Amino acid sequence: GMRVERLGRSSVRYGVGIFRAGEDEAAASGYFVHVYVDRASRRPAALPEAMYFFVIAATEAPAMHGSVADVSLFADAAET
């Protein structure tokens, strides 16, 4: 499964967990941080507005235990 643990101005911290079928406790868990960077300055940049609101909407949607987020949805939102 995957969830948003923190939404910042220029970054998103995603939590991930791997579940065995039928188990409620994660067999392994971790996180990663996606920092948005301005290509020219190579410095952190604000999340694109569409992405920011997409992440908010996604975190308010009902969680699906054991599901894996479709990362292509994030890519589509970032392009708008």
Side-chain angles (χ1 to χ4, degrees), residues 14 34 36 48 50-51 54-55 70-80:
Y14 296 97
H34 183 167
Y36 287 81
M51 182 61 161
F54 177 82
V55 172
D70 182 352
V71 207
S72 64
L73 294 175
F74 292 98
D76 292 344
E79 291 174 4
T80 57

Side-chain angles (χ1 to χ4, degrees), residues 2-80:
M2 185 170 150
R3 68 179 180 187
V4 172
E5 292 183 338
R6 182 180 176 282
L7 177 60
R9 194 175 95 71
S10 62
S11 64
V12 182
R13 177 178 162 146
Y14 296 97
V16 293
I18 299 172
F19 295 84
R20 290 185 179 94
E23 297 286 328
D24 290 333
E25 190 172 332
S29 63
Y31 69 91
F32 65 95
V33 178
H34 183 167
V35 178
Y36 287 81
V37 176
D38 179 89
R39 288 181 190 212
S41 69
R42 301 184 78 146
R43 303 284 307 152
L47 267 75
E49 187 174 297
M51 182 61 161
Y52 183 84
F53 289 111
F54 177 82
V55 172
I56 289 174
T59 59
E60 292 174 354
M64 294 172 48
H65 173 72
S67 66
V68 176
D70 182 352
V71 207
S72 64
L73 294 175
F74 292 98
D76 292 344
E79 291 174 4
T80 57

